[in-house]
Amino acid sequence: MSGPALRQLHSHKAIHEGGLSGAVMKMEDLVGFLEQGEQEMMNRACDDLLDYWKTRVISHADAEEEGFYKEILAENPELEREIIQLTRDHDLMRLVVQDIEDLRQTDQQITPEIMQKFYGLLVINELHSREEERLLFR
Ligand SMILES: [Fe+2]
Ligand SMILES: [Fe+2]
């Protein structure tokens, strides 16, 4: 994600909203296949959702830490605490994504534990985006 898009509240917010709504849609697909007991589709939807979190949401976090957060910090040293907190949110999402990947390796089934972690990601991501918009765009 390019730097200028992250610096503008309007475009940054649009990235957050697009990321979250895509994850919600893919989550609904997964839940639908689970309810229908469609094993093959379920597995595919689960891997697709996991990949989405990595390529769309975690990569956004990586880009922020590599550029945007550093720029903000250089211009506003008083925001160090906020940047640390927001980076921790990113780390939590990375940990949950890694946990889901590990669970996928050990278990062939889409377990309730995996589903809970996917729901957890949605919550962390929503709160993180809201806080990022509030703290860094004053
Ligand atoms: Fe972020
Ligand atoms: Fe962001």
Coordinates of all heavy atoms in Angstrom, one line a residue, residues 1 4-6 11-12 25 33 36 41 55 58 64 70 74 79-80 98-99 106 108 110:
M1 N 0.9 -1.2 0.0 CA 0.0 0.0 0.0 C 0.9 1.2 0.0 O 1.8 1.3 0.8 CB -0.9 0.0 1.2 CG -2.2 0.7 1.1 SD -3.2 0.2 -0.3 CE -3.5 -1.5 0.2
P4 N 1.2 7.8 0.4 CA 0.2 8.9 0.4 C -1.2 8.4 0.8 O -2.0 9.2 1.5 CB 0.2 9.4 -1.0 CG 1.6 9.0 -1.6 CD 1.9 7.7 -0.9
A5 N -1.7 7.3 0.4 CA -3.0 6.8 0.7 C -3.2 6.6 2.2 O -4.3 6.8 2.7 CB -3.3 5.5 -0.1
L6 N -2.1 6.2 2.9 CA -2.2 6.0 4.3 C -2.2 7.3 5.1 O -2.7 7.4 6.2 CB -1.0 5.2 4.8 CG -0.9 3.7 4.2 CD1 0.3 3.0 4.8 CD2 -2.2 2.9 4.4
S11 N -8.8 8.2 2.6 CA -8.4 7.0 1.9 C -7.9 5.9 2.8 O -8.1 4.7 2.5 CB -7.3 7.3 0.9 OG -6.2 8.0 1.5
H12 N -7.4 6.2 3.9 CA -6.9 5.2 4.9 C -8.1 4.5 5.5 O -8.2 3.3 5.6 CB -6.1 5.9 6.0 CG -5.3 4.9 6.8 ND1 -4.0 5.1 7.1 CD2 -5.5 3.6 7.2 CE1 -3.5 4.1 7.8 NE2 -4.4 3.2 7.9
M25 N -17.4 -10.8 4.6 CA -18.1 -11.6 3.5 C -17.5 -13.0 3.4 O -18.2 -14.0 3.3 CB -17.9 -10.8 2.2 CG -19.0 -9.9 1.9 SD -19.0 -9.3 0.2 CE -17.5 -8.4 0.1
F33 N -20.9 -22.7 4.3 CA -20.5 -24.0 4.0 C -20.5 -24.9 5.2 O -20.7 -26.1 5.1 CB -19.1 -24.0 3.3 CG -19.1 -23.3 2.0 CD1 -18.1 -22.3 1.7 CD2 -20.0 -23.5 1.0 CE1 -18.1 -21.6 0.5 CE2 -20.0 -22.9 -0.2 CZ -19.1 -21.9 -0.5
Q36 N -23.9 -26.1 5.8 CA -24.3 -27.1 4.8 C -23.5 -28.4 4.9 O -23.8 -29.4 4.2 CB -24.2 -26.5 3.4 CG -25.1 -25.4 3.1 CD -24.5 -24.5 1.9 OE1 -23.7 -25.0 1.1 NE2 -24.9 -23.2 1.9
M41 N -15.7 -27.4 0.2 CA -15.9 -26.0 0.1 C -15.5 -25.3 1.4 O -14.9 -24.2 1.3 CB -17.4 -25.7 -0.2 CG -17.9 -26.2 -1.6 SD -16.9 -25.5 -2.9 CE -17.7 -23.9 -3.1
T55 N -2.8 -11.4 3.2 CA -2.4 -10.5 2.0 C -3.1 -9.2 2.1 O -2.6 -8.2 1.6 CB -2.9 -11.2 0.7 OG1 -4.3 -11.5 0.7 CG2 -2.1 -12.5 0.5
I58 N -2.8 -8.1 7.2 CA -1.4 -8.1 7.8 C -0.5 -7.3 6.9 O 0.4 -6.6 7.4 CB -0.9 -9.6 8.0 CG1 -1.9 -10.4 9.0 CG2 0.5 -9.6 8.6 CD1 -2.1 -9.8 10.3
E64 N 2.3 -0.2 7.2 CA 2.2 0.9 8.1 C 3.5 1.0 9.0 O 4.0 2.1 9.2 CB 1.0 0.7 9.0 CG -0.3 1.0 8.3 CD -1.5 0.8 9.2 OE1 -1.4 0.0 10.1 OE2 -2.5 1.4 8.9
K70 N 6.5 5.2 11.1 CA 7.8 5.9 11.2 C 7.8 7.3 10.9 O 8.4 8.2 11.6 CB 8.9 5.2 10.3 CG 9.4 3.9 10.8 CD 10.5 3.3 10.0 CE 10.9 1.9 10.5 NZ 11.3 1.0 9.5
A74 N 8.4 10.4 13.5 CA 9.4 11.4 13.3 C 8.8 12.8 13.4 O 9.5 13.7 13.9 CB 10.0 11.2 11.9
L79 N 3.8 10.9 20.1 CA 2.8 9.8 19.8 C 3.5 8.4 20.0 O 2.9 7.4 19.5 CB 2.2 10.0 18.4 CG 1.2 11.1 18.2 CD1 0.8 11.2 16.8 CD2 0.0 10.9 19.1
E80 N 4.6 8.4 20.6 CA 5.4 7.1 20.7 C 4.5 6.0 21.4 O 4.5 4.9 20.9 CB 6.7 7.3 21.5 CG 7.5 6.0 21.4 CD 8.8 6.1 22.3 OE1 8.9 7.1 23.0 OE2 9.6 5.2 22.1
Q98 N -1.2 -16.8 12.9 CA -0.2 -17.9 13.0 C -0.9 -19.1 13.7 O -0.7 -20.2 13.3 CB 1.0 -17.4 13.7 CG 2.2 -18.4 13.8 CD 2.6 -18.9 12.4 OE1 3.0 -18.1 11.6 NE2 2.5 -20.2 12.1
D99 N -1.6 -18.8 14.8 CA -2.3 -19.8 15.5 C -3.3 -20.6 14.6 O -3.3 -21.8 14.7 CB -3.1 -19.2 16.7 CG -2.3 -19.1 17.9 OD1 -1.1 -19.4 17.9 OD2 -2.9 -18.6 19.0
T106 N -2.4 -29.1 12.1 CA -2.6 -30.3 13.0 C -3.9 -30.9 12.8 O -4.1 -32.1 13.2 CB -2.3 -29.9 14.4 OG1 -3.2 -28.8 14.8 CG2 -0.9 -29.4 14.7
Q108 N -7.5 -31.6 10.5 CA -8.1 -31.6 9.1 C -9.5 -30.9 9.2 O -10.0 -30.4 8.2 CB -8.3 -33.0 8.6 CG -7.0 -33.8 8.4 CD -6.1 -33.2 7.3 OE1 -5.8 -32.0 7.3 NE2 -5.7 -34.0 6.4
I110 N -12.4 -28.1 10.4 CA -12.6 -26.7 10.8 C -13.2 -26.8 12.2 O -14.4 -27.0 12.3 CB -13.5 -25.9 9.8 CG1 -13.1 -26.2 8.3 CG2 -13.4 -24.4 10.1 CD1 -11.9 -25.5 7.8

